[in-house]
Amino acid sequence: MGSLNRSRIPFSAAGGGPHHHPLPLFTRAHQIGALALVVVTFLLTRAFDRLSCPLSSPAPLAAGHSAASLFDRAGAFSWPERGYGSRLDLKIYVYEEREVDGLRELMRGRDGNISPQACLKGQWGTQVKVHQLLLKSRFRTLKKEEADLFFVPAYVKCVRMMGGLNDKEINQTYVKALSQMPHFRYSGGRDHIFVFPSGAGAHLFRSWAKFLNRSIILTPEGDRTDKRDTSAFNTWKDIIIPGNVDDGMTTFHGSTIVQPLPLSKRKYLANFLGRAQGKVGRLQLVELAKQYPDKLESPELKLTGPDKLGRTEYFNHLRNAKFCLAPRGESSWTLRFYEAYFVECVPVILSDQVELPFQNVIDYTQISIKWPSTRIGTQLLEYLESIPDEEIEGMLAHGRQVRCLWVYAPETERCSAMVGIMWELQRKVRRFHQSAETFWLHNRTIVNRDLVEFQNWRTPIPLP
């Protein structure tokens, strides 16, 4: 072989002359110098990398570390580089409502008379907010062929609540819309994003298990096994998102409805502001409040009629305790958990199956308490009463640092729910997509089972 023959060339033939003795190519001094050069080069490269990648973060917030360590020098929220990358770099295609047959009905109802503005408030508001923010996002692309991910807009929770579609119609309309999306068939739905913002989660689409079992679902709801055999949330593909806090309580939307009270001026140790709904944990809290009315506030909430509790009155009640209790209701998550951070009371989670957002960057032991729902009683109040105000103040301070992640503001803000969602979506991006109905040939042509090239696939496309 050529490399072996070259090693046998005499030194003289290489240009040294017949009477010159060969000299060693590398002395020990040369070797030491080369090693030192490699070490210096490595250290300098690492130093420049750290300076040029300000978005990276060495680790999630750990016990004993300040919440401020989650922010870079520019004040932007940092995400761990491992698994996410050092900067946001993804392209999302957003389907237009008139582009796909069925989307308009999923957004406005069968008669088209439900407006997005009517769906902005309440738990289902995130379906509208995420959609509207993506339409204005710098990560939006108008070209399907360059998209990393595809967003499917639908306001079905709101539409259903307002009588725009019933459960059967929602199911049929989703199936019709999906059959109009060749890219959904191409990937088996793996690169398509859906938002289901309420406690029902993806179960609003009855056939989710058949059609969306590989898609990315954004939802605040991680568990519905109390009413279903299986949960629609899959921790490996789906993303838990924050609940929709009233815009009037978030600093991104101007002055807040109410301001937090100093701990010394709060009347109660804890409160529970919610309907009992016949749930064991909630009923126990109502009874506990009757036994200890000076420690635990749990007023009967009237949501209709002349004595209906207004939002200002609601937040005035919420801010008047050191701890805000968040038991399970119809589902495992509750909006009260997120609201607590804006009136600055420590949320106490009384929901064993709850899933929380952005767990790769937030250590929830620093900003909340999770107590077994099976131990609701005087022991809980005694425990909360034993916590010094200094400890409470520390938890509230950490909460102020991260509560920006509960706010649905543009991803151009240094910290917002959309920033967190974008980072989590980036982690889902794949270079290659396939499905049971996608095939490819030697020339990189993508075809279906009938060997029809992808660009010639006709709608409606048969779904699995």
Side-chain angles (χ1 to χ4, degrees):
M1 293 174 58
S3 60
L4 294 175
N5 290 335
R6 285 189 63 186
S7 67
R8 292 188 174 92
I9 296 176
F11 181 72
S12 59
H19 302 294
H20 290 75
H21 296 289
L23 294 174
L25 293 176
F26 294 101
T27 66
R28 184 167 184 79
H30 289 139
Q31 294 173 340
I32 294 173
L35 181 61
L37 182 61
V38 169
V39 172
V40 170
T41 302
F42 173 76
L43 293 175
L44 287 174
T45 302
R46 287 292 300 275
F48 281 120
D49 281 346
R50 289 176 179 176
L51 288 174
S52 62
C53 299
L55 290 175
S56 64
S57 176
L61 182 60
H65 288 255
S66 169
S69 65
L70 286 175
F71 295 84
D72 63 23
R73 297 182 189 126
F77 208 92
S78 298
W79 233 253
E81 185 170 350
R82 183 178 181 182
Y84 292 91
S86 59
R87 63 189 181 91
L88 281 173
D89 182 21
L90 74 165
K91 294 181 179 179
I92 301 175
Y93 182 85
V94 181
Y95 286 102
E96 297 284 351
E97 64 178 270
R98 296 188 180 276
E99 172 187 0
V100 177
D101 187 16
L103 276 190
R104 183 170 175 80
E105 291 96 311
L106 292 174
M107 297 171 66
R108 298 178 182 271
R110 71 179 75 85
D111 300 322
N113 56 8
I114 298 175
S115 69
Q117 192 64 29
C119 296
L120 267 174
K121 295 182 180 181
Q123 293 182 358
W124 53 76
T126 48
Q127 279 193 322
V128 182
K129 288 183 176 180
V130 172
H131 178 211
Q132 292 182 344
L133 289 168
L134 282 176
L135 288 175
K136 302 175 183 178
S137 173
R138 62 190 173 99
F139 300 111
R140 182 190 179 193
T141 178
L142 301 179
K143 299 178 181 178
K144 291 189 179 79
E145 62 272 17
E146 69 177 21
D148 298 308
L149 299 168
F150 295 80
F151 181 81
V152 183
Y155 309 154
V156 290
K157 175 62 177 179
C158 175
V159 168
R160 180 177 179 271
M161 293 293 290
M162 298 183 71
L165 292 174
N166 59 38
D167 290 345
K168 183 178 180 180
E169 290 172 322
I170 289 172
N171 199 75
Q172 293 173 339
T173 309
Y174 258 120
V175 173
K176 179 175 68 173
L178 295 177
S179 71
Q180 308 297 316
M181 301 177 183
H183 283 84
F184 183 85
R185 179 69 160 179
Y186 184 121
S187 67
R190 289 175 173 89
D191 54 359
H192 279 58
I193 307 163
F194 299 81
V195 182
F196 291 98
S198 71
H203 291 282
L204 280 172
F205 176 22
R206 289 179 175 177
S207 299
W208 70 266
K210 181 177 181 180
F211 298 107
L212 305 187
N213 61 345
R214 294 177 178 86
S215 299
I216 302 167
I217 295 174
L218 308 185
T219 178
E221 180 54 64
D223 181 78
R224 282 312 305 271
T225 52
D226 59 328
K227 291 188 175 181
R228 312 282 181 174
D229 293 334
T230 59
S231 175
F233 175 75
N234 184 316
T235 187
W236 300 111
K237 70 178 183 67
D238 301 327
I239 298 171
I240 291 292
I241 61 174
N244 183 34
V245 178
D246 191 308
D247 289 343
M249 284 302 298
T250 61
T251 54
F252 282 121
H253 298 89
S255 59
T256 58
I257 298 171
V258 300
Q259 295 295 323
L261 292 173
L263 288 183
S264 60
K265 293 186 178 181
R266 301 190 188 190
K267 183 177 180 180
Y268 299 99
L269 172 68
N271 61 36
F272 163 57
L273 298 181
R275 295 171 295 163
Q277 298 177 306
K279 304 300 178 181
V280 175
R282 293 183 171 217
L283 290 171
Q284 289 174 328
L285 289 176
V286 171
E287 289 303 312
L288 196 62
K290 293 177 181 178
Q291 296 177 44
Y292 302 94
D294 57 330
K295 295 181 180 179
L296 175 59
E297 182 191 27
S298 182
E300 181 183 354
L301 296 186
K302 295 183 179 180
L303 303 179
T304 58
D307 296 327
K308 177 182 177 181
L309 190 69
R311 64 174 186 166
T312 300
E313 187 179 1
Y314 170 80
F315 285 113
N316 275 327
H317 276 282
L318 202 63
R319 69 173 181 165
N320 208 18
K322 298 177 180 180
F323 299 95
C324 292
L325 308 186
R328 184 186 182 106
E330 288 293 337
S331 60
S332 62
W333 83 281
T334 170
L335 187 60
R336 202 165 297 103
F337 171 82
Y338 301 101
E339 292 171 336
Y341 290 94
F342 296 94
V343 296
E344 298 188 9
C345 65
V346 176
V348 180
I349 303 167
L350 301 171
S351 178
D352 302 349
Q353 285 80 26
V354 71
E355 292 280 348
L356 300 170
F358 313 135
Q359 294 184 36
N360 281 334
V361 295
I362 298 176
D363 179 356
Y364 282 91
T365 64
Q366 289 200 335
I367 62 174
S368 64
I369 293 169
K370 186 180 180 185
W371 184 266
S373 63
T374 53
R375 303 187 72 89
I376 294 175
T378 55
Q379 185 183 14
L380 170 60
L381 295 183
E382 290 170 357
Y383 164 70
L384 295 178
E385 202 167 23
S386 71
I387 301 175
D389 282 357
E390 294 78 13
E391 294 283 341
I392 298 173
E393 291 284 9
M395 298 181 77
L396 296 179
H398 286 308
R400 291 186 205 106
Q401 293 284 339
V402 302
R403 68 186 178 188
C404 50
L405 286 171
W406 314 152
V407 182
Y408 285 89
E411 85 269 346
T412 51
E413 295 287 345
R414 291 178 175 179
C415 173
S416 71
M418 284 305 293
V419 170
I421 291 170
M422 287 297 186
W423 277 109
E424 294 297 331
L425 285 174
Q426 178 157 289
R427 201 179 187 200
K428 309 294 182 183
V429 172
R430 299 181 180 190
R431 181 178 181 181
F432 184 78
H433 285 282
Q434 68 163 89
S435 73
E437 298 300 323
T438 305
F439 305 85
W440 53 92
L441 307 180
H442 76 285
N443 59 0
R444 303 179 66 189
T445 301
I446 302 297
V447 298
N448 63 11
R449 190 173 294 277
D450 297 321
L451 302 183
V452 177
E453 294 186 17
F454 172 70
Q455 59 267 27
N456 296 324
W457 292 6
R458 295 182 179 180
T459 58
I461 297 171
L463 294 172

